[in-house]
Amino acid sequence: MRTPHRTEPQHRPHDHSTPSHDLYGELGALDDGPVEDLLGGEATARRARQDEAPQWSAPDHRRGGRSGRRSRRRRKRNRFPGPSFVVKTVVGLVVVAAFVALADRWALLYAQHRAAEGLKEQLGLAAAPEVEIGGFPFLTQVADRRLDSVRVTVPDVAADRVSLAKVTASARDIRLDTDGFTSVRGAHVSRLDGDVLLSFADLNRELGASQVRFAGDGRDRVQARGTLPVAGHDLRLRARATIQRQGERGIATRIGGIRLDIGDLATYRPGTRASDGLHLTSKGSADLARETRKAKALLSVPAIVRRLGVPETTARNALSDDGDLSEVTGSPRFARQARSLNLIDLVADHPEALRTLGLEPDLLDALSRLTRPALADRLSLAFELPEPPQGNVRLRSVRVERDGIRVRLTGSELAVGGS
């Protein structure tokens, strides 16, 4: 072991700016060789291990944290389907459902078309009816051979002398006779509810008397107003029809109040009662008191004088004296008797007297042949529902409305098509 060299301290002047002795310099001057020799190779080995070990550095939380989150997201994606997978699945299901619904609607339209054509052929209609099949989905109903509901609307159906403006029928619980989706042989209807409209517009057009118009007059009555041509003269027509059921499938009309007005002169009522026939109106009988020529024409016929209840002597005096004539024709009794005359009874024997009143013989002859049944037939609104081959259909109610005659009907156990 070496002995460190020592020097004697030298006395220097006191300097306040520096320390009295250099402590760091003295420590640095010490030689640590003997310590290394004392510890031997252990210190050397420790330094070697430190040199070989990786150097420590501060952790980078930013990069390390982002990498960790990315790893966690990858693990989550591996564990659960992502949003894109769910969206694709939903879109796929929607597309499939749309195709299924489209196929179901196409099959429904095809079935409705086939049913409409079949009804057109069976009923002999000019145009195919409108058929609406209810319920969804349609294909499952066909597979089950049962339909929930079917609604059929048929316009312009012939019924005797008139046309039904609109016939609507709603069927429920229909059992199909079928071998498949395109092979339907027939159907069985458990219940049917129908609505029939006989419109006044069609009645105005179809009943021959095109100048006659029909209108409602209460719950069960119809009024007819218009003109009717008779022997070249347009006579004003008035009539009343009472609507009533006839049996379970028919509608009958009772025509009453028929009258034909010949201007303001006379009114014709067909029938055999005393009030029926051709009679002067109140205005027509009043004109006799003012028009001397017409009054003398009647008083010159003895048969008419007797029917008027005027004594023959009084009638002769009235023909020769206008004062007596005015006294006779101006009395209330004469006016009543004049209105009670049935002029149809006089036309054969005294046509000239009636012509003086303004009544042509050809017109009176035509009126005498225009009987009440003939007029009533022209105004008849009756019709009857056809009898189905199987099941039954009956009227439920009949009512006069603003647009026409409304008929409600019901049916059950009906068969359509083949069995």
Side-chain angles (χ1 to χ4, degrees):
M1 178 180 297
R2 291 182 302 176
T3 303
H5 178 71
R6 300 179 180 271
T7 57
E8 293 292 332
Q10 296 180 1
H11 297 278
R12 295 181 180 179
H14 182 72
D15 187 357
H16 294 283
S17 61
T18 60
S20 58
H21 58 277
D22 189 358
L23 178 59
Y24 296 103
E26 293 178 358
L27 292 175
L30 295 178
D31 189 359
D32 54 356
V35 176
E36 292 179 356
D37 293 341
L38 178 62
L39 297 177
E42 183 177 354
T44 303
R46 185 183 300 113
R47 285 195 299 270
R49 286 195 301 270
Q50 291 176 352
D51 293 338
E52 293 177 0
Q55 298 294 323
W56 177 87
S57 61
D60 187 352
H61 294 287
R62 180 178 59 83
R63 293 193 303 172
R66 180 180 301 172
S67 177
R69 287 194 299 272
R70 190 178 297 116
S71 299
R72 286 192 296 271
R73 284 198 297 269
R74 282 197 294 267
R75 287 195 297 270
K76 289 182 180 179
R77 281 197 299 268
N78 294 335
R79 186 181 306 173
F80 302 104
S84 60
F85 175 78
V86 176
V87 171
K88 291 178 180 179
T89 303
V90 172
V91 171
L93 292 177
V94 170
V95 171
V96 171
F99 275 109
V100 172
L102 182 62
D104 185 84
R105 294 299 93 184
W106 180 87
L108 174 65
L109 294 176
Y110 176 78
Q112 292 178 161
H113 174 73
R114 289 289 302 273
E117 292 297 328
L119 288 175
K120 175 185 175 183
E121 182 178 354
Q122 290 183 11
L123 300 178
L125 303 175
E130 180 181 344
V131 179
E132 299 179 25
I133 300 177
F136 181 82
F138 168 70
L139 293 176
T140 58
Q141 295 184 73
V142 177
D144 194 34
R145 299 185 179 183
R146 184 182 295 271
L147 298 178
D148 294 339
S149 64
V150 176
R151 182 181 178 88
V152 180
T153 302
V154 185
D156 195 18
V157 180
D160 297 335
R161 298 177 57 231
V162 297
S163 295
L164 305 179
K166 186 177 181 181
V167 178
T168 303
S170 299
R172 299 185 182 279
D173 190 16
I174 304 102
R175 297 191 297 275
L176 300 177
D177 181 11
T178 176
D179 291 332
F181 292 103
T182 59
S183 178
V184 179
R185 294 185 295 271
H188 182 273
V189 179
S190 298
R191 181 180 175 182
L192 177 73
D193 293 315
D195 183 281
V196 177
L197 175 64
L198 179 61
S199 72
F200 292 137
D202 291 338
L203 294 177
N204 298 338
R205 183 181 66 252
E206 297 174 351
L207 286 184
S210 59
Q211 296 175 329
V212 177
R213 296 292 179 264
F214 295 87
D217 182 22
R219 182 183 179 89
D220 61 349
R221 289 190 302 178
V222 175
Q223 287 186 353
R225 297 287 186 271
T227 58
L228 185 67
V230 179
H233 299 267
D234 289 334
L235 307 185
R236 188 167 63 248
L237 171 68
R238 297 182 184 182
R240 181 179 63 253
T242 302
I243 311 299
Q244 56 190 4
R245 294 175 54 176
Q246 184 175 23
E248 292 189 345
R249 299 194 313 276
I251 292 178
T253 53
R254 188 177 71 252
I255 307 299
I258 301 177
R259 56 181 289 180
L260 294 171
D261 294 330
I262 306 174
D264 295 330
L265 176 60
T267 296
Y268 175 71
R269 293 182 176 89
T272 58
R273 297 175 301 180
S275 59
D276 296 334
L278 181 63
H279 298 270
L280 293 173
T281 64
S282 298
K283 184 177 184 303
S285 63
D287 289 342
L288 290 176
R290 296 190 298 268
E291 299 183 23
T292 304
R293 185 174 62 90
K294 292 181 179 181
K296 288 183 177 182
L298 291 180
L299 294 176
S300 63
V301 179
I304 297 178
V305 170
R306 289 192 294 270
R307 294 196 180 196
L308 290 174
V310 178
E312 294 183 2
T313 304
T314 304
R316 285 196 300 267
N317 294 334
L319 292 175
S320 60
D321 189 311
D322 290 346
D324 292 341
L325 179 64
S326 299
E327 185 178 351
V328 171
T329 57
S331 66
R333 184 175 181 276
F334 179 84
R336 290 194 303 269
Q337 291 298 111
R339 289 195 300 269
S340 67
L341 285 176
N342 187 352
L343 303 180
I344 292 294
D345 299 338
L346 306 175
V347 64
D349 298 329
H350 312 285
E352 292 302 323
L354 297 182
R355 182 180 283 114
T356 303
L357 295 177
L359 299 172
E360 296 295 333
D362 57 345
L363 173 60
L364 299 180
D365 182 62
L367 288 175
S368 65
R369 291 183 279 106
L370 192 60
T371 62
R372 186 178 185 278
L375 278 175
D377 183 66
R378 291 193 181 189
L379 304 175
S380 176
L381 314 177
F383 71 90
E384 186 171 355
L385 297 174
E387 184 176 1
Q390 180 179 341
N392 66 86
V393 176
R394 59 183 178 84
L395 299 179
R396 191 171 61 188
S397 65
V398 180
R399 180 170 181 172
V400 177
E401 297 181 352
R402 178 179 180 181
D403 297 331
I405 302 172
R406 180 81 59 181
V407 179
R408 310 283 184 182
L409 56 89
T410 183
S412 61
E413 305 303 328
L414 302 172
V416 179
S419 57

